[in-house]
Amino acid sequence: MKENTRIRSVLKAINHYLVFFLLAAFVITCCMLLFLSVFSHSIDITFTENDVQLAAMLTFWNVVLLSFLFTVIDTVRRKITVDMPVKRIIEAAQQIMQGDFSVRIPSENKLSTDEKFQEVIECFNKMAEELGSVETLRTDFIANVSHEMKTPLSVMHNYGTLLQSPDLTDEKRIEYAKGVTDSSRKLADMMSNILKLNRLENQQIFPKVAEFDLGEQLCECLLQYENVWEKENIEIETEIEEDVKVRADSELLGLVWNNLFSNAFKFTSSGGKVFVSLSVEDNYAVVKVRDTGCGMTPEVGAHIFEKFYQGDNSRAVQGNGLGLALVKRVIVIVGGEIGVESEVGKGSTFTVKIGL
């Protein structure tokens, strides 16, 4: 392999030399013929055969020397301006192929390399940075999915083992069967949310834009939780402005409201209050969902839209940390805005803005 590389390098050098030799021979010959012709006519001198042979010999060796010098200079130039940057790029690419996404190529001296190489290096570094981010997200995602799946599977395994006991009472059997059902439902919900989030992040879901009454949609989504608020004795307060129409994908926005309402009821204790409002402000439809639940710290609030993040571990059994990640992605797709204000012990307020 090394021998073949050495032979190719020698042949390449010879090829460069021949190119320079032919170019220099043509240029110098033309110049010499023109010079001798003008010179001889100007001073009326006739050159002898010996003079011509001597001039030809000197010209030939001059061409040989100049061609050698040009070849050496060009080889050094190519080594500095082409081979060295290419070598660095190849070495960095090989490191990325081996899974090392932390590699970065240092910037080249603009005086010693072509600007195009600098552009390639900048693009390469950005690519490596993006690949590193994607790999980190992929690793974290796999770790989080594995962790989240482990809990319901363990519960199902334990209850399944208990159900095999021959002397179970009907009450215990129903209790254990319910535990298996609840865990399997949680696992199914998590898989469904993962698929939805994956499709949203990969732009496989394209919004079906149509005009609809946002107030009616909010009321319909809220009524789905009637059994929840009645069971938990949670007071509902609404302040929904009438005839607020938006142009968006109603199905995607339905995901937003269902997740926000679900969280509001989940984190609001019995006897608390959930408040839903809709108003128009500065050409935006503004939806606020406020609860009197446990609230959260600013540190938790800064991460709640991340996948699998659950700030309240005591309530983690009721969710999988994907709901608000879905909400955030949908809001981005429909071109809206979402924010949250919260205080520990006093509750949280989610504000969604959608352009009219």
Side-chain angles (χ1 to χ4, degrees):
M1 184 69 179
K2 290 183 178 180
E3 186 67 26
N4 292 336
T5 303
R6 191 178 296 109
I7 292 173
R8 283 197 298 269
S9 299
V10 172
L11 292 176
K12 192 175 181 180
I14 293 174
N15 180 63
H16 287 165
Y17 178 81
L18 290 175
V19 169
F20 283 119
F21 178 83
L22 293 174
L23 180 62
F26 176 77
V27 172
I28 292 177
T29 300
C30 291
C31 291
M32 285 295 297
L33 289 174
L34 181 62
F35 171 77
L36 291 175
S37 176
V38 173
F39 185 73
S40 61
H41 282 87
S42 297
I43 59 176
D44 195 22
I45 294 179
T46 302
F47 293 102
T48 65
E49 183 178 349
N50 289 334
D51 294 333
V52 173
Q53 289 180 350
L54 179 61
M57 184 64 65
L58 291 174
T59 301
F60 173 79
W61 287 111
N62 189 35
V63 169
V64 170
L65 178 60
L66 289 176
S67 299
F68 177 76
L69 291 176
F70 289 159
T71 302
V72 171
I73 293 172
D74 184 64
T75 301
V76 174
R77 180 193 66 82
R78 292 174 63 87
K79 187 75 173 176
I80 296 174
T81 62
V82 178
D83 292 351
M84 290 176 65
V86 168
K87 183 180 179 181
R88 291 193 184 98
I89 293 172
I90 291 174
E91 289 175 349
Q94 289 174 342
Q95 287 182 258
I96 285 183
M97 290 169 60
Q98 295 172 0
D100 181 9
F101 299 107
S102 63
V103 61
R104 298 292 184 273
I105 304 175
S107 298
E108 296 288 340
N109 188 337
K110 293 183 178 180
L111 296 177
S112 61
T113 58
D114 194 296
E115 289 184 0
K116 297 299 180 183
F117 274 112
Q118 186 60 35
E119 293 179 11
V120 171
I121 289 172
E122 290 176 1
C123 291
F124 185 95
N125 289 338
K126 289 179 181 178
M127 179 194 71
E129 184 178 354
E130 291 296 325
L131 287 173
S133 300
V134 170
E135 178 64 16
T136 300
L137 288 174
R138 185 186 70 84
T139 304
D140 291 345
F141 184 77
I142 292 174
N144 286 322
V145 169
S146 301
H147 176 74
E148 293 297 328
M149 289 180 64
K150 186 176 180 180
T151 301
L153 287 174
S154 297
V155 172
M156 292 167 65
H157 178 268
N158 293 336
Y159 280 130
T161 303
L162 292 171
L163 282 170
Q164 297 176 30
S165 186
D167 54 349
L168 269 183
T169 63
D170 289 344
E171 184 181 352
K172 286 293 183 182
R173 179 174 54 80
I174 293 174
E175 179 186 344
Y176 297 157
K178 184 178 183 301
V180 172
T181 304
D182 291 343
S183 295
S184 63
R185 185 182 297 112
K186 179 183 178 182
L187 194 59
D189 289 342
M190 183 177 68
M191 292 298 105
S192 177
N193 283 336
I194 287 174
L195 291 174
K196 288 178 185 176
L197 189 58
N198 181 64
R199 293 177 65 191
L200 286 169
E201 290 183 335
N202 289 284
Q203 293 295 331
Q204 294 176 355
I205 294 179
F206 299 96
K208 299 176 182 178
V209 178
E211 188 176 79
F212 63 94
D213 192 306
L214 186 57
E216 287 184 6
Q217 185 187 47
L218 287 170
C219 292
E220 290 173 1
C221 291
L222 188 59
L223 285 173
Q224 296 178 22
Y225 296 89
E226 184 175 4
N227 292 334
V228 177
W229 78 61
E230 287 182 351
K231 180 181 177 182
E232 298 294 332
N233 191 29
I234 296 174
E235 182 182 348
I236 301 298
E237 184 178 336
T238 61
E239 190 176 308
I240 297 178
E241 189 173 323
E242 294 183 358
D243 201 31
V244 178
K245 298 184 183 298
V246 296
R247 286 187 57 80
D249 189 314
S250 60
E251 184 178 349
L252 288 179
L253 282 181
L255 283 174
V256 173
W257 315 134
N258 283 326
N259 275 288
L260 293 181
F261 294 159
S262 176
N263 279 348
F265 291 120
K266 180 170 68 175
F267 291 104
T268 300
S269 302
S270 179
K273 179 188 290 187
V274 170
F275 174 80
V276 180
S277 70
L278 169 62
S279 60
V280 176
E281 300 176 10
D282 298 328
N283 209 33
Y284 279 94
V286 181
V287 178
K288 293 187 178 183
V289 180
R290 186 174 74 242
D291 62 68
T292 58
C294 58
M296 54 189 164
T297 63
E299 291 76 14
V300 171
H303 298 281
I304 57 172
F305 294 110
E306 297 175 5
K307 292 189 289 287
F308 295 106
Y309 185 81
Q310 294 176 332
D312 185 355
N313 293 326
S314 65
R315 305 286 181 118
V317 70
Q318 300 182 35
N320 48 51
L322 289 172
L324 289 178
L326 273 171
V327 167
K328 179 68 174 179
R329 186 57 187 159
V330 168
I331 294 299
V332 170
I333 288 176
V334 301
E337 301 175 13
I338 185 170
V340 60
E341 296 178 0
S342 186
E343 187 174 347
V344 176
K346 293 187 178 182
S348 304
T349 301
F350 285 86
T351 303
V352 177
K353 293 184 178 181
I354 302 171
L356 294 176

